[in-house]
Amino acid sequence: MAKEQLPVLVVGAGPVGCFIAYRLGKAGIPVQIFEKESALPYTPRAVGYYGATQVVFQETGLYDLVRAEGFMTAGLCWRTLPIDDGKGGKRLGDLLAAQPLSDPSDPVKACPSGLLNLRQSELTKLVLEEALKTGNVKIQFNSELSSIQQGDDKVTIDFENKDLPAVTGSYLVGADGGRSKTRKLIGTPCLGHTWPERLISTDVILGNYVDPVWHTCYIIGTQNYTIMTPLTDPIVGEKSLWRCTVAIPPEDQRSDEELLQEEVIQGLYEEVVSGPRPLPAEIKAKAVYRIHQRLVPTMRKGRCVLAGDAAHMNNPYGAMGLNTGLLDGDALAEALIMVLNEGRSNKILTSYSDARRRVFRYFVDPTTTANKLRLHLASETAAEDDDYLRSLQNPTAEEMEKGAKPYFETWRTDMRAVAKDAGL
Ligand SMILES: Cc1cc2nc3c(=O)[nH]c(=O)nc-3n(C[C@H](O)[C@H](O)[C@H](O)COP(=O)(O)OP(=O)(O)OC[C@H]3O[C@@H](n4cnc5c(N)ncnc54)[C@H](O)[C@@H]3O)c2cc1C
């Protein structure tokens, strides 16, 4: 009788873990996901998927599903703080620059274009459902990883709940987020720095009073610099759900609990959200975050491999964290398919680590750092001072294409090409 194939163990049912499980399940590889929570968690976090991720969704059969549940925005913009409208309310701040990701007058917006918006929690639910449909993926909730033992040809894990039996797999994928236990257990530090600011992120129902054209908006020229992004299609004249993420300067000594008080958040909206006053704003979810620029020295230790926030963290300005994690997932799934289904050397996993670390170090880390620091500028002179905002003033098609190139060519890793170059 043929020996049964050991499953790949995925720790963490976040979007990255579920996506890897989906890819492997589709390739006929058995997978077991272990999630410490009792159900998929909801937190106000990622929402927008760029072109490279859209292409991955399309190639893997997810694009139409994500597109049907989500909606497309045409691009990003930078504005000053909202301005008094002379009627007791505030209008949108002045437009400093806009970055089209697709033609705003194009109603079709085929893949890849725009910023495909769908809340991280909805994406994860959708991907997990598709993973389970492959028939090769199982998920176990209430299963918090506590230890890992690696052998030559297998890896065994235990759980905090000692009533749960140990489980053995062929490889372990640590997709357990920024505080990854996998990362700690395999002895890998996450090196870099933590920014001194905290962020308050809220999901809030707001009225849509005008068409902002560029829905995702960075507000600069204040210590409370902000990202406003729609979570559902913002139809003018109707109310809809928005994500409002506001920076809290380092000198603000209030505790997280104090910052999460309704009146504190409403006070911040007064400064950064446009609309009539008093502002009708119904808060649906809220969280305080610390933000980091950090990367592990390796994403592979033996039969354990890291992906997503477990391996690297960046600030959310530019919406690159989950996109990078999903592109890790795309590369790692392809690497594991080569190893497990095609019998190729597992040194490919080291090549995965090297390639994805390079993407973070030379593209994601500097780009997100620049995205954040740009918001510290004075709004009066930012459009002139900052080379990036200046480049967006009257760009030619050629300049736009050049700017978009790394978002496609650098961000995603073609693991088959990487393996070939490495002679594996
Ligand atoms: C305010 C904010 C806005 C953001 N916006 C964007 C955006 O628009 N676009 C973008 O690309 N990125 C964005 N990000 C970043 C994005 O949210 C993260 O990059 C993303 O969540 C990483 O996914 P992940 O699956 O790697 O980890 P996570 O989403 O953290 O999932 C990890 C999972 O592992 C589980 N887990 C943890 N420990 C264990 C354990 N020991 N055992 C078992 N399970 C465990 C957790 O419960 C969780 O379900 C944003 C982040 C923030 C804070």
PDB file of all heavy atoms in Angstrom, residues 126-160:
ATOM      1  N   LEU A 126     -13.293  34.068   2.342  1.00  0.00           N
ATOM      2  CA  LEU A 126     -13.497  33.582   0.974  1.00  0.00           C
ATOM      3  C   LEU A 126     -12.408  32.557   0.593  1.00  0.00           C
ATOM      4  O   LEU A 126     -12.708  31.475   0.077  1.00  0.00           O
ATOM      5  CB  LEU A 126     -13.463  34.794   0.050  1.00  0.00           C
ATOM      6  CG  LEU A 126     -13.673  34.697  -1.448  1.00  0.00           C
ATOM      7  CD1 LEU A 126     -14.121  36.058  -1.972  1.00  0.00           C
ATOM      8  CD2 LEU A 126     -12.454  34.258  -2.192  1.00  0.00           C
ATOM      9  N   VAL A 127     -11.155  32.891   0.895  1.00  0.00           N
ATOM     10  CA  VAL A 127     -10.048  32.004   0.491  1.00  0.00           C
ATOM     11  C   VAL A 127     -10.116  30.693   1.277  1.00  0.00           C
ATOM     12  O   VAL A 127      -9.902  29.612   0.722  1.00  0.00           O
ATOM     13  CB  VAL A 127      -8.680  32.708   0.674  1.00  0.00           C
ATOM     14  CG1 VAL A 127      -7.535  31.756   0.375  1.00  0.00           C
ATOM     15  CG2 VAL A 127      -8.584  33.936  -0.214  1.00  0.00           C
ATOM     16  N   LEU A 128     -10.457  30.797   2.566  1.00  0.00           N
ATOM     17  CA  LEU A 128     -10.556  29.568   3.363  1.00  0.00           C
ATOM     18  C   LEU A 128     -11.653  28.659   2.801  1.00  0.00           C
ATOM     19  O   LEU A 128     -11.459  27.442   2.677  1.00  0.00           O
ATOM     20  CB  LEU A 128     -10.817  29.901   4.836  1.00  0.00           C
ATOM     21  CG  LEU A 128     -11.011  28.688   5.743  1.00  0.00           C
ATOM     22  CD1 LEU A 128      -9.764  27.788   5.746  1.00  0.00           C
ATOM     23  CD2 LEU A 128     -11.341  29.107   7.176  1.00  0.00           C
ATOM     24  N   GLU A 129     -12.792  29.249   2.464  1.00  0.00           N
ATOM     25  CA  GLU A 129     -13.889  28.436   1.894  1.00  0.00           C
ATOM     26  C   GLU A 129     -13.421  27.712   0.639  1.00  0.00           C
ATOM     27  O   GLU A 129     -13.681  26.519   0.448  1.00  0.00           O
ATOM     28  CB  GLU A 129     -15.083  29.338   1.528  1.00  0.00           C
ATOM     29  CG  GLU A 129     -16.019  29.562   2.697  1.00  0.00           C
ATOM     30  CD  GLU A 129     -17.021  30.684   2.432  1.00  0.00           C
ATOM     31  OE1 GLU A 129     -17.281  31.037   1.252  1.00  0.00           O
ATOM     32  OE2 GLU A 129     -17.514  31.230   3.425  1.00  0.00           O
ATOM     33  N   GLU A 130     -12.693  28.434  -0.219  1.00  0.00           N
ATOM     34  CA  GLU A 130     -12.196  27.813  -1.461  1.00  0.00           C
ATOM     35  C   GLU A 130     -11.159  26.736  -1.146  1.00  0.00           C
ATOM     36  O   GLU A 130     -11.099  25.708  -1.823  1.00  0.00           O
ATOM     37  CB  GLU A 130     -11.601  28.882  -2.392  1.00  0.00           C
ATOM     38  CG  GLU A 130     -12.621  29.873  -2.931  1.00  0.00           C
ATOM     39  CD  GLU A 130     -13.810  29.210  -3.631  1.00  0.00           C
ATOM     40  OE1 GLU A 130     -13.583  28.406  -4.558  1.00  0.00           O
ATOM     41  OE2 GLU A 130     -14.958  29.479  -3.226  1.00  0.00           O
ATOM     42  N   ALA A 131     -10.348  26.988  -0.130  1.00  0.00           N
ATOM     43  CA  ALA A 131      -9.328  25.987   0.256  1.00  0.00           C
ATOM     44  C   ALA A 131     -10.021  24.700   0.730  1.00  0.00           C
ATOM     45  O   ALA A 131      -9.642  23.591   0.323  1.00  0.00           O
ATOM     46  CB  ALA A 131      -8.436  26.553   1.361  1.00  0.00           C
ATOM     47  N   LEU A 132     -11.050  24.863   1.560  1.00  0.00           N
ATOM     48  CA  LEU A 132     -11.750  23.676   2.090  1.00  0.00           C
ATOM     49  C   LEU A 132     -12.428  22.901   0.959  1.00  0.00           C
ATOM     50  O   LEU A 132     -12.478  21.666   0.983  1.00  0.00           O
ATOM     51  CB  LEU A 132     -12.760  24.084   3.164  1.00  0.00           C
ATOM     52  CG  LEU A 132     -12.152  24.725   4.428  1.00  0.00           C
ATOM     53  CD1 LEU A 132     -13.241  25.208   5.378  1.00  0.00           C
ATOM     54  CD2 LEU A 132     -11.219  23.757   5.162  1.00  0.00           C
ATOM     55  N   LYS A 133     -12.887  23.645  -0.067  1.00  0.00           N
ATOM     56  CA  LYS A 133     -13.559  22.983  -1.202  1.00  0.00           C
ATOM     57  C   LYS A 133     -12.622  22.069  -1.984  1.00  0.00           C
ATOM     58  O   LYS A 133     -13.090  21.198  -2.705  1.00  0.00           O
ATOM     59  CB  LYS A 133     -14.126  24.044  -2.168  1.00  0.00           C
ATOM     60  CG  LYS A 133     -15.451  24.631  -1.749  1.00  0.00           C
ATOM     61  CD  LYS A 133     -15.964  25.528  -2.877  1.00  0.00           C
ATOM     62  CE  LYS A 133     -16.896  26.591  -2.343  1.00  0.00           C
ATOM     63  NZ  LYS A 133     -17.075  27.696  -3.288  1.00  0.00           N
ATOM     64  N   THR A 134     -11.308  22.298  -1.894  1.00  0.00           N
ATOM     65  CA  THR A 134     -10.379  21.430  -2.644  1.00  0.00           C
ATOM     66  C   THR A 134     -10.423  20.001  -2.101  1.00  0.00           C
ATOM     67  O   THR A 134      -9.972  19.066  -2.753  1.00  0.00           O
ATOM     68  CB  THR A 134      -8.916  21.935  -2.561  1.00  0.00           C
ATOM     69  OG1 THR A 134      -8.465  21.823  -1.188  1.00  0.00           O
ATOM     70  CG2 THR A 134      -8.751  23.368  -3.042  1.00  0.00           C
ATOM     71  N   GLY A 135     -10.918  19.847  -0.872  1.00  0.00           N
ATOM     72  CA  GLY A 135     -10.994  18.511  -0.270  1.00  0.00           C
ATOM     73  C   GLY A 135      -9.665  18.077   0.340  1.00  0.00           C
ATOM     74  O   GLY A 135      -9.579  17.017   0.978  1.00  0.00           O
ATOM     75  N   ASN A 136      -8.618  18.885   0.187  1.00  0.00           N
ATOM     76  CA  ASN A 136      -7.295  18.510   0.717  1.00  0.00           C
ATOM     77  C   ASN A 136      -6.893  19.322   1.944  1.00  0.00           C
ATOM     78  O   ASN A 136      -5.833  19.101   2.511  1.00  0.00           O
ATOM     79  CB  ASN A 136      -6.226  18.704  -0.369  1.00  0.00           C
ATOM     80  CG  ASN A 136      -6.445  17.757  -1.527  1.00  0.00           C
ATOM     81  OD1 ASN A 136      -6.698  16.578  -1.307  1.00  0.00           O
ATOM     82  ND2 ASN A 136      -6.390  18.267  -2.743  1.00  0.00           N
ATOM     83  N   VAL A 137      -7.734  20.298   2.306  1.00  0.00           N
ATOM     84  CA  VAL A 137      -7.365  21.216   3.397  1.00  0.00           C
ATOM     85  C   VAL A 137      -8.307  21.012   4.580  1.00  0.00           C
ATOM     86  O   VAL A 137      -9.519  20.939   4.405  1.00  0.00           O
ATOM     87  CB  VAL A 137      -7.436  22.685   2.908  1.00  0.00           C
ATOM     88  CG1 VAL A 137      -7.143  23.645   4.051  1.00  0.00           C
ATOM     89  CG2 VAL A 137      -6.460  22.918   1.757  1.00  0.00           C
ATOM     90  N   LYS A 138      -7.694  20.921   5.779  1.00  0.00           N
ATOM     91  CA  LYS A 138      -8.507  20.856   7.000  1.00  0.00           C
ATOM     92  C   LYS A 138      -8.082  22.003   7.902  1.00  0.00           C
ATOM     93  O   LYS A 138      -6.918  22.423   7.857  1.00  0.00           O
ATOM     94  CB  LYS A 138      -8.245  19.545   7.739  1.00  0.00           C
ATOM     95  CG  LYS A 138      -8.761  18.340   6.987  1.00  0.00           C
ATOM     96  CD  LYS A 138      -8.563  17.096   7.827  1.00  0.00           C
ATOM     97  CE  LYS A 138      -8.961  15.865   7.027  1.00  0.00           C
ATOM     98  NZ  LYS A 138      -8.088  14.750   7.261  1.00  0.00           N
ATOM     99  N   ILE A 139      -9.016  22.471   8.728  1.00  0.00           N
ATOM    100  CA  ILE A 139      -8.661  23.535   9.679  1.00  0.00           C
ATOM    101  C   ILE A 139      -9.077  23.125  11.082  1.00  0.00           C
ATOM    102  O   ILE A 139     -10.127  22.526  11.272  1.00  0.00           O
ATOM    103  CB  ILE A 139      -9.284  24.898   9.282  1.00  0.00           C
ATOM    104  CG1 ILE A 139      -8.839  25.988  10.255  1.00  0.00           C
ATOM    105  CG2 ILE A 139     -10.799  24.852   9.196  1.00  0.00           C
ATOM    106  CD1 ILE A 139      -8.982  27.401   9.744  1.00  0.00           C
ATOM    107  N   GLN A 140      -8.210  23.448  12.050  1.00  0.00           N
ATOM    108  CA  GLN A 140      -8.506  23.167  13.464  1.00  0.00           C
ATOM    109  C   GLN A 140      -8.379  24.479  14.228  1.00  0.00           C
ATOM    110  O   GLN A 140      -7.287  25.053  14.296  1.00  0.00           O
ATOM    111  CB  GLN A 140      -7.482  22.131  13.950  1.00  0.00           C
ATOM    112  CG  GLN A 140      -7.797  21.531  15.301  1.00  0.00           C
ATOM    113  CD  GLN A 140      -6.799  20.418  15.644  1.00  0.00           C
ATOM    114  OE1 GLN A 140      -6.653  19.442  14.921  1.00  0.00           O
ATOM    115  NE2 GLN A 140      -6.101  20.595  16.748  1.00  0.00           N
ATOM    116  N   PHE A 141      -9.506  24.977  14.771  1.00  0.00           N
ATOM    117  CA  PHE A 141      -9.483  26.207  15.568  1.00  0.00           C
ATOM    118  C   PHE A 141      -9.071  25.874  17.008  1.00  0.00           C
ATOM    119  O   PHE A 141      -8.869  24.707  17.359  1.00  0.00           O
ATOM    120  CB  PHE A 141     -10.861  26.867  15.530  1.00  0.00           C
ATOM    121  CG  PHE A 141     -11.175  27.492  14.194  1.00  0.00           C
ATOM    122  CD1 PHE A 141     -12.012  26.846  13.268  1.00  0.00           C
ATOM    123  CD2 PHE A 141     -10.619  28.706  13.833  1.00  0.00           C
ATOM    124  CE1 PHE A 141     -12.283  27.419  12.024  1.00  0.00           C
ATOM    125  CE2 PHE A 141     -10.892  29.291  12.592  1.00  0.00           C
ATOM    126  CZ  PHE A 141     -11.723  28.636  11.696  1.00  0.00           C
ATOM    127  N   ASN A 142      -8.957  26.878  17.848  1.00  0.00           N
ATOM    128  CA  ASN A 142      -8.581  26.706  19.269  1.00  0.00           C
ATOM    129  C   ASN A 142      -7.298  25.893  19.403  1.00  0.00           C
ATOM    130  O   ASN A 142      -7.164  25.069  20.304  1.00  0.00           O
ATOM    131  CB  ASN A 142      -9.710  26.004  20.042  1.00  0.00           C
ATOM    132  CG  ASN A 142     -10.983  26.820  20.037  1.00  0.00           C
ATOM    133  OD1 ASN A 142     -10.961  27.990  20.403  1.00  0.00           O
ATOM    134  ND2 ASN A 142     -12.072  26.228  19.590  1.00  0.00           N
ATOM    135  N   SER A 143      -6.363  26.107  18.490  1.00  0.00           N
ATOM    136  CA  SER A 143      -5.145  25.288  18.463  1.00  0.00           C
ATOM    137  C   SER A 143      -3.921  26.202  18.400  1.00  0.00           C
ATOM    138  O   SER A 143      -3.426  26.521  17.314  1.00  0.00           O
ATOM    139  CB  SER A 143      -5.160  24.358  17.249  1.00  0.00           C
ATOM    140  OG  SER A 143      -6.310  23.553  17.274  1.00  0.00           O
ATOM    141  N   GLU A 144      -3.477  26.637  19.571  1.00  0.00           N
ATOM    142  CA  GLU A 144      -2.354  27.577  19.622  1.00  0.00           C
ATOM    143  C   GLU A 144      -1.041  26.809  19.677  1.00  0.00           C
ATOM    144  O   GLU A 144      -0.809  26.023  20.608  1.00  0.00           O
ATOM    145  CB  GLU A 144      -2.491  28.476  20.857  1.00  0.00           C
ATOM    146  CG  GLU A 144      -1.404  29.519  20.916  1.00  0.00           C
ATOM    147  CD  GLU A 144      -1.652  30.552  22.010  1.00  0.00           C
ATOM    148  OE1 GLU A 144      -2.703  30.491  22.684  1.00  0.00           O
ATOM    149  OE2 GLU A 144      -0.766  31.398  22.199  1.00  0.00           O
ATOM    150  N   LEU A 145      -0.199  27.045  18.689  1.00  0.00           N
ATOM    151  CA  LEU A 145       1.106  26.363  18.628  1.00  0.00           C
ATOM    152  C   LEU A 145       1.893  26.619  19.904  1.00  0.00           C
ATOM    153  O   LEU A 145       1.957  27.756  20.376  1.00  0.00           O
ATOM    154  CB  LEU A 145       1.888  26.922  17.434  1.00  0.00           C
ATOM    155  CG  LEU A 145       3.321  26.441  17.285  1.00  0.00           C
ATOM    156  CD1 LEU A 145       3.368  25.015  16.755  1.00  0.00           C
ATOM    157  CD2 LEU A 145       4.107  27.375  16.359  1.00  0.00           C
ATOM    158  N   SER A 146       2.520  25.551  20.450  1.00  0.00           N
ATOM    159  CA  SER A 146       3.386  25.798  21.615  1.00  0.00           C
ATOM    160  C   SER A 146       4.799  25.270  21.404  1.00  0.00           C
ATOM    161  O   SER A 146       5.744  25.812  21.958  1.00  0.00           O
ATOM    162  CB  SER A 146       2.784  25.193  22.890  1.00  0.00           C
ATOM    163  OG  SER A 146       2.842  23.800  22.833  1.00  0.00           O
ATOM    164  N   SER A 147       4.988  24.196  20.620  1.00  0.00           N
ATOM    165  CA  SER A 147       6.371  23.737  20.407  1.00  0.00           C
ATOM    166  C   SER A 147       6.511  23.040  19.056  1.00  0.00           C
ATOM    167  O   SER A 147       5.519  22.600  18.462  1.00  0.00           O
ATOM    168  CB  SER A 147       6.797  22.791  21.530  1.00  0.00           C
ATOM    169  OG  SER A 147       6.144  21.554  21.380  1.00  0.00           O
ATOM    170  N   ILE A 148       7.762  22.975  18.609  1.00  0.00           N
ATOM    171  CA  ILE A 148       8.074  22.369  17.296  1.00  0.00           C
ATOM    172  C   ILE A 148       9.264  21.424  17.485  1.00  0.00           C
ATOM    173  O   ILE A 148      10.263  21.806  18.098  1.00  0.00           O
ATOM    174  CB  ILE A 148       8.493  23.453  16.261  1.00  0.00           C
ATOM    175  CG1 ILE A 148       7.387  24.489  16.062  1.00  0.00           C
ATOM    176  CG2 ILE A 148       8.908  22.827  14.938  1.00  0.00           C
ATOM    177  CD1 ILE A 148       7.785  25.684  15.186  1.00  0.00           C
ATOM    178  N   GLN A 149       9.146  20.210  16.968  1.00  0.00           N
ATOM    179  CA  GLN A 149      10.311  19.315  16.910  1.00  0.00           C
ATOM    180  C   GLN A 149      10.558  18.963  15.444  1.00  0.00           C
ATOM    181  O   GLN A 149       9.659  18.443  14.776  1.00  0.00           O
ATOM    182  CB  GLN A 149      10.085  17.997  17.674  1.00  0.00           C
ATOM    183  CG  GLN A 149       9.851  18.148  19.181  1.00  0.00           C
ATOM    184  CD  GLN A 149       8.367  18.241  19.508  1.00  0.00           C
ATOM    185  OE1 GLN A 149       7.567  17.515  18.949  1.00  0.00           O
ATOM    186  NE2 GLN A 149       8.006  19.155  20.406  1.00  0.00           N
ATOM    187  N   GLN A 150      11.762  19.231  14.994  1.00  0.00           N
ATOM    188  CA  GLN A 150      12.077  18.944  13.596  1.00  0.00           C
ATOM    189  C   GLN A 150      12.895  17.666  13.484  1.00  0.00           C
ATOM    190  O   GLN A 150      13.852  17.463  14.236  1.00  0.00           O
ATOM    191  CB  GLN A 150      12.902  20.074  12.993  1.00  0.00           C
ATOM    192  CG  GLN A 150      12.173  21.390  12.930  1.00  0.00           C
ATOM    193  CD  GLN A 150      12.722  22.274  11.814  1.00  0.00           C
ATOM    194  OE1 GLN A 150      12.842  21.838  10.674  1.00  0.00           O
ATOM    195  NE2 GLN A 150      13.048  23.507  12.151  1.00  0.00           N
ATOM    196  N   GLY A 151      12.533  16.795  12.526  1.00  0.00           N
ATOM    197  CA  GLY A 151      13.343  15.624  12.205  1.00  0.00           C
ATOM    198  C   GLY A 151      13.900  15.779  10.804  1.00  0.00           C
ATOM    199  O   GLY A 151      13.729  16.827  10.176  1.00  0.00           O
ATOM    200  N   ASP A 152      14.578  14.701  10.298  1.00  0.00           N
ATOM    201  CA  ASP A 152      15.166  14.798   8.955  1.00  0.00           C
ATOM    202  C   ASP A 152      14.101  14.902   7.872  1.00  0.00           C
ATOM    203  O   ASP A 152      14.296  15.565   6.861  1.00  0.00           O
ATOM    204  CB  ASP A 152      16.022  13.557   8.665  1.00  0.00           C
ATOM    205  CG  ASP A 152      17.302  13.614   9.486  1.00  0.00           C
ATOM    206  OD1 ASP A 152      17.626  14.714   9.972  1.00  0.00           O
ATOM    207  OD2 ASP A 152      17.941  12.552   9.649  1.00  0.00           O
ATOM    208  N   ASP A 153      12.993  14.194   8.087  1.00  0.00           N
ATOM    209  CA  ASP A 153      11.989  14.170   7.020  1.00  0.00           C
ATOM    210  C   ASP A 153      10.594  14.542   7.503  1.00  0.00           C
ATOM    211  O   ASP A 153       9.616  14.289   6.820  1.00  0.00           O
ATOM    212  CB  ASP A 153      11.978  12.794   6.341  1.00  0.00           C
ATOM    213  CG  ASP A 153      11.699  11.686   7.350  1.00  0.00           C
ATOM    214  OD1 ASP A 153      11.552  12.011   8.549  1.00  0.00           O
ATOM    215  OD2 ASP A 153      11.611  10.521   6.938  1.00  0.00           O
ATOM    216  N   LYS A 154      10.504  15.093   8.698  1.00  0.00           N
ATOM    217  CA  LYS A 154       9.174  15.496   9.186  1.00  0.00           C
ATOM    218  C   LYS A 154       9.301  16.540  10.293  1.00  0.00           C
ATOM    219  O   LYS A 154      10.407  16.783  10.802  1.00  0.00           O
ATOM    220  CB  LYS A 154       8.390  14.282   9.673  1.00  0.00           C
ATOM    221  CG  LYS A 154       9.057  13.506  10.772  1.00  0.00           C
ATOM    222  CD  LYS A 154       8.270  12.251  11.081  1.00  0.00           C
ATOM    223  CE  LYS A 154       8.919  11.575  12.251  1.00  0.00           C
ATOM    224  NZ  LYS A 154       9.113  10.186  12.194  1.00  0.00           N
ATOM    225  N   VAL A 155       8.167  17.100  10.637  1.00  0.00           N
ATOM    226  CA  VAL A 155       8.139  18.101  11.694  1.00  0.00           C
ATOM    227  C   VAL A 155       6.873  17.854  12.528  1.00  0.00           C
ATOM    228  O   VAL A 155       5.819  17.565  11.983  1.00  0.00           O
ATOM    229  CB  VAL A 155       8.195  19.545  11.095  1.00  0.00           C
ATOM    230  CG1 VAL A 155       7.132  19.768  10.038  1.00  0.00           C
ATOM    231  CG2 VAL A 155       8.070  20.603  12.155  1.00  0.00           C
ATOM    232  N   THR A 156       7.049  17.929  13.869  1.00  0.00           N
ATOM    233  CA  THR A 156       5.917  17.638  14.762  1.00  0.00           C
ATOM    234  C   THR A 156       5.650  18.851  15.634  1.00  0.00           C
ATOM    235  O   THR A 156       6.595  19.483  16.128  1.00  0.00           O
ATOM    236  CB  THR A 156       6.242  16.408  15.645  1.00  0.00           C
ATOM    237  OG1 THR A 156       6.469  15.304  14.768  1.00  0.00           O
ATOM    238  CG2 THR A 156       5.098  16.065  16.597  1.00  0.00           C
ATOM    239  N   ILE A 157       4.367  19.170  15.813  1.00  0.00           N
ATOM    240  CA  ILE A 157       4.030  20.330  16.647  1.00  0.00           C
ATOM    241  C   ILE A 157       3.093  19.935  17.788  1.00  0.00           C
ATOM    242  O   ILE A 157       2.335  18.974  17.684  1.00  0.00           O
ATOM    243  CB  ILE A 157       3.393  21.484  15.831  1.00  0.00           C
ATOM    244  CG1 ILE A 157       2.096  21.042  15.127  1.00  0.00           C
ATOM    245  CG2 ILE A 157       4.366  22.024  14.816  1.00  0.00           C
ATOM    246  CD1 ILE A 157       1.359  22.186  14.425  1.00  0.00           C
ATOM    247  N   ASP A 158       3.205  20.719  18.880  1.00  0.00           N
ATOM    248  CA  ASP A 158       2.310  20.572  20.036  1.00  0.00           C
ATOM    249  C   ASP A 158       1.560  21.877  20.233  1.00  0.00           C
ATOM    250  O   ASP A 158       1.961  22.923  19.704  1.00  0.00           O
ATOM    251  CB  ASP A 158       3.134  20.321  21.307  1.00  0.00           C
ATOM    252  CG  ASP A 158       3.552  18.883  21.389  1.00  0.00           C
ATOM    253  OD1 ASP A 158       2.661  18.032  21.505  1.00  0.00           O
ATOM    254  OD2 ASP A 158       4.776  18.626  21.327  1.00  0.00           O
ATOM    255  N   PHE A 159       0.542  21.805  21.087  1.00  0.00           N
ATOM    256  CA  PHE A 159      -0.327  22.965  21.298  1.00  0.00           C
ATOM    257  C   PHE A 159      -0.365  23.355  22.768  1.00  0.00           C
ATOM    258  O   PHE A 159      -0.095  22.530  23.648  1.00  0.00           O
ATOM    259  CB  PHE A 159      -1.742  22.637  20.794  1.00  0.00           C
ATOM    260  CG  PHE A 159      -1.729  22.243  19.344  1.00  0.00           C
ATOM    261  CD1 PHE A 159      -1.687  20.897  18.974  1.00  0.00           C
ATOM    262  CD2 PHE A 159      -1.685  23.212  18.354  1.00  0.00           C
ATOM    263  CE1 PHE A 159      -1.626  20.533  17.643  1.00  0.00           C
ATOM    264  CE2 PHE A 159      -1.628  22.855  17.015  1.00  0.00           C
ATOM    265  CZ  PHE A 159      -1.600  21.507  16.663  1.00  0.00           C
ATOM    266  N   GLU A 160      -0.735  24.617  23.015  1.00  0.00           N
ATOM    267  CA  GLU A 160      -0.875  25.091  24.397  1.00  0.00           C
ATOM    268  C   GLU A 160      -1.885  24.238  25.151  1.00  0.00           C
ATOM    269  O   GLU A 160      -1.697  23.935  26.323  1.00  0.00           O
ATOM    270  CB  GLU A 160      -1.326  26.557  24.412  1.00  0.00           C
ATOM    271  CG  GLU A 160      -0.302  27.565  23.890  1.00  0.00           C
ATOM    272  CD  GLU A 160       0.942  27.670  24.763  1.00  0.00           C
ATOM    273  OE1 GLU A 160       0.900  27.252  25.941  1.00  0.00           O
ATOM    274  OE2 GLU A 160       1.971  28.157  24.252  1.00  0.00           O
TER     275      GLU A 160
END
